[in-house]
Amino acid sequence: CKAVFTSVESADLASTLAVLKRSGNLEPFQRDILLLSIYDSLKHRKPAITDASDLTDTIIQQTIGKQSATISTEHISQTAHAVLSKFDHAAAVHYQAYFLD
């Protein structure tokens, strides 16, 4: 029996990306916070966790590609809403009601 080892590499966004909160505080970026808000908006779908994970990656890619090392929560929220609007109207409405100012 042969052992197979794999590794998945990903950027450590918490150490390279800061989020500017509405209060003016800077905090490390946490993918899980974004993932949970997207998942909450997609609960009506059967593959909600898979969709949420994939959409979170898309949102991060679109957000990082246009910003410096500091990103505002407003920008993240607006990008998330735009991505959800293209994917699922009901999820976008839910996100707007609970996570977008």
Side-chain angles (χ1 to χ4, degrees):
C1 182
K2 294 183 180 180
V4 177
F5 295 94
T6 63
S7 67
V8 176
E9 294 185 24
S10 62
D12 180 13
L13 297 176
S15 65
T16 59
L17 192 60
V19 176
L20 179 61
K21 298 291 201 170
R22 288 175 180 86
S23 65
N25 294 335
L26 283 176
E27 295 183 8
F29 178 83
Q30 295 180 36
R31 181 185 187 275
D32 292 342
I33 292 173
L34 177 59
L35 174 66
L36 289 174
S37 68
I38 300 302
Y39 174 73
D40 189 47
S41 297
L42 293 169
K43 282 184 180 177
H44 65 280
R45 299 176 62 86
K46 287 191 182 220
I49 192 64
T50 304
D51 290 344
S53 182
D54 293 343
L55 288 169
T56 298
D57 291 340
T58 299
I59 294 163
I60 291 169
Q61 185 179 33
Q62 288 185 12
T63 303
I64 293 174
K66 299 176 182 176
Q67 294 293 313
S68 62
T70 302
I71 300 173
S72 69
T73 54
E74 290 86 5
H75 183 74
I76 295 169
S77 296
Q78 290 169 355
T79 303
H81 183 259
V83 169
L84 281 171
S85 293
K86 293 177 183 175
F87 183 74
D88 184 301
H89 179 72
V93 170
H94 183 274
Y95 188 88
Q96 183 175 16
Y98 291 98
F99 300 106
L100 193 63
D101 287 339

